[in-house]
Amino acid sequence: MKDEFIINVSHELRTPLTQIYGYLELLSEYQEHLDADTQRAFLDNAKYGCDELMLLVNNILNTTRASSKLQAPQLEDVTVIQLVKEVSRLLTPIEGAKHPLKISIPEHLKVRADTQYLRQIFRNLISNAFKYSPSDTPVFIDAFPIMAKQPGMRQEICISVKDQGPGIPPAEQPFLFEKFMRLQRDLSGPIRGTGLGLYICKQLVETMHGRIWIESTGIAGEGSRFCFTLPGSSFPPL
Ligand code: ADP
């Protein structure tokens, strides 16, 4: 299992690395012949590759760290829409062009979260939505407050990332957040993956006192909706 993991992971790491190298090489070889827009686009693509690489390395480190204990989260008030825009700006040059992002998040909505952890969760969920749904289908990102269970309890915020892809078969949903889990159809399919992203998302969400789950009928085209909750920020009151 360990050997298989290393082979798979090395393969995954090589893809963004090749992309970064390729674009930087093009820039250094042909800089004088490229107009400013093309240079900018090549740099954006290289940056996107770096971000991919960072996500993978973070996922792997979080998974393999001794006893898999995550570092204690550095909780602060995070404005959700700002973070989502930041993450999607990085994704936009390549993948984002194929999937319009429909963001519906109140301007001032804040959660109590670790910024790095939350960024990693969004990167995993949004890149999965891009990866597993057909080109030109939109990806929806929503966030809204939900009623506190009891009066006086801190409010929770529900965040979701929804796509219009093949969905997740109900029979496989209970195992979806396990380490190395990939759906049967993807084990032999063309889409690459390590089966670590959702496992890490669950660890990160739970360490920030939230829950994560999937909603999907498993019918192609109806897609998947990944939802997670996080405590709301107490100031200002929502
Ligand atoms: P990876 O994508 O690297 O394999 P993840 O842990 O992120 O790992 O996802 C686990 C598996 O769940 C994927 O391999 C894929 O089979 C399935 N999956 C994840 N997100 C989606 C999605 N949005 N639509 C369809 N299947 C998905």
Side-chain angles (χ1 to χ4, degrees), residues 223-235:
S224 317
R225 179 166 180 250
F226 286 89
C227 310
F228 63 97
T229 60
L230 286 176
S233 110
S234 25
F235 304 102

Side-chain angles (χ1 to χ4, degrees), residues 81 102-106 140-144:
I81 192 147
K102 310 269 185 203
I103 301 172
S104 169
I105 301 173
F140 302 87
I141 306 177
D142 293 348
F144 51 88

Side-chain angles (χ1 to χ4, degrees), residues 64-213:
T64 52
R65 203 165 264 154
S67 78
S68 294
K69 271 264 177 287
L70 289 169
Q71 275 179 4
Q74 309 282 314
L75 296 179
E76 55 186 336
D77 289 351
V78 184
T79 308
V80 183
I81 192 147
Q82 262 175 22
L83 196 96
V84 168
K85 283 187 175 161
E86 217 180 281
V87 171
S88 53
R89 214 172 296 129
L90 262 177
L91 290 166
T92 314
I94 300 183
E95 294 303 317
K98 301 182 206 147
H99 298 275
L101 268 186
K102 310 269 185 203
I103 301 172
S104 169
I105 301 173
E107 220 35 56
H108 301 292
L109 192 68
K110 290 190 169 96
V111 288
R112 196 81 194 143
D114 180 307
T115 311
Q116 290 306 333
Y117 284 3
L118 188 55
R119 192 173 284 135
Q120 200 175 340
I121 296 167
F122 274 121
R123 284 282 287 110
N124 273 307
L125 296 182
I126 299 172
S127 44
N128 276 352
F130 285 176
K131 209 159 75 165
Y132 294 104
S133 61
S135 288
D136 298 322
T137 56
V139 170
F140 302 87
I141 306 177
D142 293 348
F144 51 88
I146 48 180
M147 291 294 284
K149 286 192 204 89
Q150 285 162 20
M153 271 181 84
R154 190 191 270 271
Q155 189 149 38
E156 278 193 315
I157 308 298
C158 181
I159 302 175
S160 74
V161 176
K162 185 181 180 317
D163 61 56
Q164 294 183 337
I168 312 283
E172 292 184 84
Q173 290 180 14
F175 315 105
L176 199 61
F177 296 92
E178 287 177 8
K179 210 188 268 188
F180 305 127
M181 162 69 184
R182 301 204 72 206
L183 297 182
Q184 280 303 322
R185 68 167 174 249
D186 288 317
L187 286 176
S188 52
I191 305 172
R192 297 173 304 107
T194 55
L196 291 179
L198 292 178
Y199 166 75
I200 294 296
C201 285
K202 184 169 155 66
Q203 310 299 308
L204 297 175
V205 168
E206 289 179 354
T207 194
M208 296 190 291
H209 315 292
R211 296 167 283 126
I212 185 166
W213 67 94

